[in-house]
Amino acid sequence: MGISMCGIAGLIDKGRDLSDNLKVLSEMSKSLVRRGPDENGIFIDRDTALIHRRLVVIDKENGKQPMICGIKKEKYVIVYNGELYNAEELRRELETKGYGFKGHSDTEVVLKAYIEYGEGCPKKLNGIFAFAVYEVNKKRLFLCRDRIGVKPLFYSEFTDGIVFASELKTLLKSGKVSPKIGEEGLYELFFLGPARTAGNGIYKNVRELLPGECAVYENGVLRRKRYFTLEAEDFTDDEQSAVERVRFLLTDAVEKQLVSDIPLCFFLSGGLDSSIIVKTASDHYRNNGLGAVNTYSVEYRDNMKYFEKSLFQPTADVEYIRLMVKNVGANHREVILDNALLADALYDSVLARDLPGYVDVDSSLLLFCKEIKKDYTVALSGECADELFGGYPWYHNKDILFEDCFPWSRSQKVRRSILRDGVLPKGEEYVRQKYLDTINATDKLSTDSELDSRMREMFSLNFYWFMQCLLERKDRCSMYSGLEVRVPFCDYRLVEYAYNMPWKIKALRGREKGIVREAFSDLLPYDIAWRKKSPYPKTHNPKYMKICSSRVKHILRKKTPLTELLDKNGVLDIIKNPDGISSPWYGQLMKAPQILAYIIELDYWMKEYDIEIV
C-alpha cells in the first residue's frame, strides 16, 4: 500500500499568474511541513497552483506529487493525502480497462480511477483520504473527502477563486483568508466547542468538505455533492449471522490496514477495541512469520495515587494492559506523561488544530504520538467503536437517551456561567438548532421501533459530532509529529452495517458494544472481552488543576478580546469550587481542570493567531 502521509493545498486565482506569487505558495507549503517533512512539490498552471508535502514511506520515485497524467486529450494533476485499502483490487480493475501503472502508489490508482470514473470515482475507494484533481484543459478542479471524514479538507471561496488545504493554517498563509471570527464562530467555540458543526471552519468564510462529500469548481462556481450518507435499510441478518459479519468486517479492515513496507505499532489501552486490533494483528503476524507486535500505552505520573472510580471511568487500565501484553507476547512500552508538560502541550495542541480543542485529551495524545514517532511512522488505533456500537453510557441510560439534547453536552449552564451578561445571548438556541438539524436529517425506516428510531438519531449525533471531534483530534495531534494513525473501525462497510443493526443485536447481553464483544469473545481473555467500557485516560493529579488555575488567574488580570467576553467571577468560581460542576462541559471527563484548560487555549489561540472578532 502506498502510504501518503502528507498535506495538500491549492489555489485558483483568476487572472493572476501564480508563478509571480511563489513566496505565498512557498509559505503555504511550509505551513504543512509537519504533515510531510520529506518532500514538497508545487504545480503551477498560470492562475492555478497545487501544493503537496510528503512524508516518504513507500515508492519514493513513483509516488511523487503533484502527480501528472496526460490521457484522452486531457492533462490531469492530483494532490492526494491518505491511504487506500482496496488499491490492489482497483488497480486490477483499471488494468482490465487498459490502464498501465508506473509504480505501486495509491496516488496513481486514485488518479486513474478519477480519469476513468470522473465524479463517480469516490464510491470506488475504500480508505481515508482527501484529494484534489485538476483538469488543465477544462480548467476544472475536483475536490474529495473520505466517507467518514478521517482526513481533513478546508476551503474558502473568494471573488476570483478558491483556496483549499489540509489545515486551516495553510488557508491563513494564502492571503485570501483573514484570522477573523464572527458571531457564528463564537457560538461554535463557546457553546459547542471542542466540537464544531460539520463543514464549519470557525474562521470567517471558511468551510470544510463534509465527510462523504466531493465538489467541482469550474467557471467560478463551486458545486458540492454528497456521495455517502447514513442510509436506513432493512437488517436481514439474525443474531448469529450478525456476530459472524462483524467479526469478518473488522478482521478484514484490520488486516487490510496492516499492509505496509515499514514496521507498524499499535495503541493498547487494555480496552475492548484496541485489544481486538492488537490480537487480530498478532495472529496475522504469527501466521505470516512477522514476529511480535509492538504496542504502546499512555499513563500520567502518579495517576494511580489519585485515581477515583466514576460512572464514566470505573477501572484503571494498567492491569488489563498487562493481561493483553502477556496474551499476545507483545513488545510493550508505557509512555508516562508529566502533568506540567501536559499543561505546556496545550499550546502546541492549539497550533496542531489551529483552534482551541479537546484540551488535555489533545495534548496527551500529542505527547504520546511524539514519543511513538521516535521509533514508528504508522500506528493503528481503536477509535470510533463506541460511536458505532453504542459504547458510551448515554446509549444505555434511558433518562439521558431520550433527553432531547446532545448527550455529551446536556447543559449549557457552565458555559453560560463563564460569559458576561448579554454576551452571545442566543447560545442555547444555536445549540438547540444544531441538534434538531441533525435529528431531522437522520434517515429512518417506517418499521423502526421507538427505541431503534432513537438509536438511529443517536448514531447520527455521535457520527457527525462526537466522532468527528475525536477524528480531528487524532489527525492533528498525530500528524503534528508526522505519525500516521489508522482507524480500522472507520471502515465504511462496518459503519453502514452498524447503522442498520437493531439495538437488541447491537447491545447483546444488554452490554455496551455487546455484538463486538460476542464476535471476539473466543479470541480475547474473558476479562477483556467483557470489561466495562473505560474512556481514554485523563489525569487525576491535583497538580494539573493547580497549574491550570494559576494560568487562568494570570489571563483574567489582562484586558484582551477574550477577557472582554468572560465573566471573571464565573471563571473564579470554577477555580474555587471545582466540584460544583454538575454536568461536564463536553464529553464524559471535561470538568473543572479541562474548562480552565479550554480558557487557556482560547487565550493563546486569539493571541497567537491575531484573531479579530468582527
Side-chain angles (χ1 to χ4, degrees):
M1 180 196 303
I3 304 165
S4 192
M5 275 167 295
C6 41
I8 65 171
L11 175 64
I12 294 178
D13 194 356
K14 280 276 173 287
R16 297 198 56 184
D17 188 341
L18 293 180
S19 53
D20 296 336
N21 222 4
L22 288 176
K23 190 168 184 293
V24 166
L25 299 178
S26 172
E27 286 300 312
M28 288 172 71
S29 176
K30 262 192 244 165
S31 72
L32 290 166
V33 71
R34 283 180 170 274
R35 295 185 84 88
D38 297 337
E39 283 186 355
N40 67 85
I42 297 179
F43 167 86
I44 300 174
D45 176 44
R46 197 169 164 74
D47 61 3
T48 300
L50 297 186
I51 297 166
H52 190 265
R53 296 281 335 188
R54 185 177 178 216
L55 179 64
V56 177
V57 176
I58 195 166
D59 203 0
K60 182 175 167 70
E61 287 315 309
N62 295 309
K64 280 186 186 295
Q65 296 188 50
M67 186 178 281
I68 301 168
C69 179
I71 202 165
K72 297 179 182 172
K73 294 184 181 170
E74 181 55 273
K75 187 155 108 176
Y76 298 86
V77 188
I78 187 171
V79 283
Y80 167 81
N81 165 30
E83 295 166 355
L84 204 55
Y85 302 127
N86 65 335
E88 286 315 306
E89 299 97 298
L90 193 49
R91 188 194 311 271
R92 285 195 294 272
E93 183 181 313
L94 290 164
E95 280 171 345
T96 64
K97 293 177 180 289
Y99 289 88
F101 290 87
K102 285 180 188 163
H104 56 283
S105 75
D106 291 2
T107 312
E108 194 178 2
V109 176
V110 174
L111 179 56
K112 285 173 180 169
Y114 177 76
I115 293 168
E116 177 63 28
Y117 300 111
E119 289 179 42
C121 136
K123 290 198 166 189
K124 292 277 184 184
L125 311 177
N126 179 0
I128 56 176
F129 50 80
F131 67 90
V133 180
Y134 180 62
E135 295 172 63
V136 176
N137 298 333
K138 290 197 183 85
K139 301 257 177 232
R140 177 161 61 197
L141 177 73
F142 179 78
L143 299 171
C144 184
R145 192 172 179 216
D146 67 74
R147 290 172 178 83
I148 314 302
V150 179
K151 289 291 165 194
L153 193 57
F154 295 97
Y155 68 91
S156 180
E157 293 177 84
F158 52 94
T159 311
D160 291 316
I162 188 170
V163 57
F164 67 87
S166 298
E167 295 192 5
L168 290 161
K169 57 174 68 68
T170 312
L171 298 186
L172 293 169
K173 292 287 183 191
S174 71
K176 301 298 179 184
V177 175
S178 305
K180 291 179 177 172
I181 179 168
E183 191 177 3
E184 186 185 11
L186 291 173
Y187 280 129
E188 292 274 332
L189 288 169
F190 283 96
F191 284 91
L192 291 169
R196 58 188 172 84
T197 306
N200 191 310
I202 308 294
Y203 294 86
K204 269 285 212 199
N205 304 321
V206 173
R207 307 289 304 159
E208 185 175 25
L209 275 193
L210 297 171
E213 189 173 42
C214 56
V216 173
Y217 185 79
E218 196 173 17
N219 300 323
V221 177
L222 185 74
R223 177 171 50 83
R224 292 162 50 188
K225 184 176 95 176
R226 296 291 283 276
Y227 68 89
F228 174 84
T229 52
L230 298 171
E231 287 180 15
E233 290 172 8
D234 284 317
F235 193 82
T236 53
D237 287 353
D238 60 17
E239 190 180 294
Q240 189 50 42
S241 306
V243 166
E244 288 164 13
R245 184 80 182 140
V246 166
R247 176 132 162 184
F248 166 76
L249 286 173
L250 187 50
T251 303
D252 188 57
V254 173
E255 288 178 350
K256 275 185 162 69
Q257 296 185 31
L258 292 175
V259 177
S260 173
D261 281 359
I262 57 164
L264 301 164
C265 68
F266 303 85
F267 291 7
L268 178 62
S269 69
L272 177 72
D273 316 326
S274 63
S275 297
I276 288 171
I277 292 170
V278 166
K279 180 65 172 170
T280 305
S282 175
D283 289 353
H284 178 84
Y285 275 31
R286 197 173 54 250
N287 295 338
N288 290 279
L290 298 171
V293 291
N294 293 281
T295 56
Y296 285 81
S297 64
V298 65
E299 189 47 277
Y300 303 90
R301 186 150 287 128
D302 298 331
N303 224 21
M304 288 313 292
K305 233 191 262 184
Y306 304 102
F307 178 76
E308 285 175 24
K309 287 187 178 188
S310 71
L311 169 67
F312 293 129
Q313 205 151 20
T315 50
D317 291 335
V318 62
E319 62 201 86
Y320 297 97
I321 292 168
R322 283 189 197 127
L323 178 61
M324 204 60 218
V325 167
K326 192 175 170 198
N327 180 271
V328 299
N331 299 319
H332 184 71
R333 183 167 161 225
E334 184 180 49
V335 175
I336 300 198
L337 303 180
D338 177 83
N339 288 277
L341 290 179
L342 188 69
D344 289 345
L346 291 170
Y347 306 111
D348 267 0
S349 53
V350 170
L351 300 178
R353 264 198 203 226
D354 303 313
L355 290 169
Y358 210 164
V359 291
D360 46 74
V361 179
D362 280 358
S363 63
S364 59
L365 183 62
L366 196 93
L367 293 171
F368 186 42
C369 290
K370 189 178 171 186
E371 280 304 305
I372 295 171
K373 174 64 184 181
K374 290 173 182 175
D375 297 305
Y376 290 93
T377 301
V378 184
L380 266 71
S381 166
E383 255 127 344
C384 303
D386 295 306
E387 290 84 357
L388 306 180
F389 290 100
Y392 294 118
W394 49 70
Y395 279 101
H396 302 270
N397 179 328
K398 288 287 189 289
D399 295 337
I400 301 176
L401 177 64
F402 284 98
E403 215 174 345
D404 207 16
C405 62
F406 288 118
W408 51 83
S409 198
R410 291 158 60 209
S411 163
Q412 265 73 58
K413 206 169 135 198
V414 66
R415 293 171 181 266
R416 177 58 69 198
S417 77
I418 69 163
L419 291 170
R420 288 192 180 186
D421 284 349
V423 168
L424 302 177
K426 295 180 179 167
E428 291 81 358
E429 208 180 295
Y430 186 86
V431 173
R432 174 90 189 133
Q433 193 53 54
K434 295 295 178 184
Y435 167 80
L436 290 174
D437 289 347
T438 312
I439 294 301
N440 294 336
T442 300
D443 198 31
K444 300 177 186 179
L445 297 177
S446 57
T447 50
D448 287 341
S449 67
E450 186 193 8
L451 179 63
D452 281 323
S453 170
R454 180 57 178 165
M455 285 302 179
R456 284 198 197 274
E457 292 175 352
M458 287 293 275
F459 193 109
S460 263
L461 290 166
N462 280 271
F463 182 84
Y464 287 114
W465 289 90
F466 204 74
M467 191 165 124
Q468 296 304 318
C469 183
L470 289 173
L471 286 173
E472 182 172 9
R473 160 190 178 249
K474 177 210 69 69
D475 177 80
R476 301 314 184 279
C477 296
S478 60
M479 292 308 287
Y480 195 69
S481 294
L483 178 74
E484 178 75 33
V485 180
R486 300 175 178 178
V487 275
F489 277 96
C490 282
D491 188 298
Y492 79 91
R493 299 167 302 163
L494 201 58
V495 172
E496 287 176 325
Y497 193 66
Y499 184 63
N500 288 300
M501 190 183 289
W503 182 246
K504 69 174 190 295
I505 293 181
K506 197 178 275 191
L508 274 184
R509 301 203 200 179
R511 287 299 304 274
E512 71 283 4
K513 295 182 286 197
I515 184 80
V516 184
R517 295 176 189 280
E518 191 63 50
F520 289 88
S521 59
D522 64 327
L523 206 64
L524 298 173
Y526 179 87
D527 286 354
I528 284 179
W530 299 98
R531 177 191 177 190
K532 192 164 169 50
K533 153 83 186 151
S534 189
Y536 180 85
K538 75 162 184 174
T539 182
H540 296 271
N541 196 320
K543 184 179 176 185
Y544 181 70
M545 173 68 180
K546 214 169 152 186
I547 295 167
C548 289
S549 300
S550 154
R551 291 183 189 181
V552 167
K553 283 177 184 169
H554 179 70
I555 288 165
L556 292 177
R557 286 197 283 271
K558 298 179 296 184
K559 189 177 178 185
T560 65
L562 176 63
T563 55
E564 292 292 293
L565 300 171
L566 296 178
D567 179 332
K568 189 177 175 181
N569 292 329
V571 177
L572 289 173
D573 191 50
I574 291 171
I575 294 173
K576 285 181 210 143
N577 183 23
D579 298 326
I581 294 161
S582 52
S583 95
W585 172 282
Y586 180 85
Q588 305 166 75
L589 306 172
M590 216 169 156
K591 292 282 190 77
Q594 287 73 30
I595 296 166
L596 300 176
Y598 193 68
I599 292 168
I600 292 167
E601 288 201 343
L602 276 164
D603 176 68
Y604 179 72
W605 172 67
M606 286 186 168
K607 194 167 62 206
E608 193 66 23
Y609 285 74
D610 199 18
I611 299 297
E612 185 189 345
I613 297 172
V614 292

